[in-house]
Amino acid sequence: MPCASDVLCKFLQSAVHHVLFVRSVYPSHAFEQRRIYNQTAMICRHPDVCAYIDHSLEGVQQWLHEGTLRRLVICVKTEGNAVLEQFVFSISRPLPRDDLPAASVASIEHYLSQFFVKISLSETRLDDIADENLTFGLLLYTEESTSVDAASLQWAPRAGTRAQNAANDIVPLHSMESEAFALELFVECFQ
């Protein structure tokens, strides 16, 4: 049986890909459809993008299991590194470390499937991005008291990292609460 951190990490990995597709960070032909929790999610096929996301999420798995990850942020930015949007996945309470019963896993996966729908629909609530040369980055916010060695996972620890300007708008997309964890998704818009 998987534990809550396994389920959430698998979801976050697919969600990163799906956000990149929806916000047109890469051309649509670079993605393929996959069924994740009975919803369609777009997953990038480019090996370098997949390797970057996979490697980045290895660290997320450890912080989730330890219960110290508070936010995963997908920054959509220009090639000049100006942040246009931040998709923020906020985890509001530590995950249980024990394996989850099958019924709990199915229930959590059902809740998580709705995030793919909301990410897809976010296009209707967000401004178009005019820049054609987009890139992205991932930020993690953890509790200061973590035993996971960020450097060994090739994450660069920085205190207080936030976008340089205050968001012009914050768009809530979806939230869920289960017996294992609570998760909220919102977008901070800077353009």
Side-chain angles (χ1 to χ4, degrees):
M1 288 290 157
C3 64
S5 62
D6 295 335
V7 174
L8 186 53
C9 192
K10 177 184 172 190
F11 161 75
L12 289 171
Q13 187 172 29
S14 300
V16 169
H17 284 274
H18 198 61
V19 166
L20 299 180
F21 171 78
V22 168
R23 298 315 286 155
S24 301
V25 173
Y26 298 110
S28 60
H29 62 79
F31 293 84
E32 64 186 8
Q33 285 186 1
R34 294 220 187 122
R35 296 295 285 178
I36 311 284
Y37 310 137
N38 290 321
Q39 292 292 339
T40 299
M42 301 303 289
I43 306 298
C44 188
R45 296 180 298 158
H46 194 283
D48 292 340
V49 174
C50 292
Y52 173 76
I53 294 170
D54 291 348
H55 182 72
S56 297
L57 274 280
E58 286 174 16
V60 169
Q61 174 73 29
Q62 292 182 38
W63 279 299
L64 283 171
H65 188 71
E66 186 183 62
T68 56
L69 182 67
R70 293 294 160 248
R71 288 184 171 190
L72 178 134
V73 180
I74 306 164
C75 299
V76 177
K77 20 186 213 179
T78 65
E79 279 188 322
N81 262 353
V83 176
L84 302 173
E85 297 172 342
Q86 292 188 148
F87 282 73
V88 180
F89 292 89
S90 180
I91 303 158
S92 62
R93 67 176 188 255
L95 282 64
R97 294 182 185 208
D98 301 333
D99 290 349
L100 296 169
S104 293
V105 171
S107 174
I108 291 168
E109 288 177 347
H110 173 72
Y111 288 135
L112 292 174
S113 73
Q114 298 309 302
F115 281 88
F116 291 111
V117 174
K118 299 300 183 175
I119 292 168
S120 294
L121 293 174
S122 70
E123 283 186 303
T124 63
R125 301 186 61 201
L126 300 173
D127 292 336
D128 289 336
I129 298 176
D131 198 312
E132 293 182 14
N133 297 312
L134 298 175
T135 187
F136 78 102
L138 298 174
L139 296 174
L140 300 180
Y141 292 86
T142 65
E143 292 178 0
E144 287 187 40
S145 60
T146 179
S147 64
V148 177
D149 180 17
S152 70
L153 299 170
Q154 297 182 352
W155 280 94
R158 297 193 309 196
T161 303
R162 296 288 294 164
Q164 292 178 342
N165 299 320
N168 294 339
D169 198 11
I170 296 176
V171 181
L173 292 183
H174 195 57
S175 64
M176 64 153 281
E177 191 163 336
S178 73
E179 66 275 9
F181 57 86
L183 182 66
E184 179 183 15
L185 171 60
F186 57 92
V187 182
E188 296 176 328
C189 304
F190 298 93
Q191 42 176 346

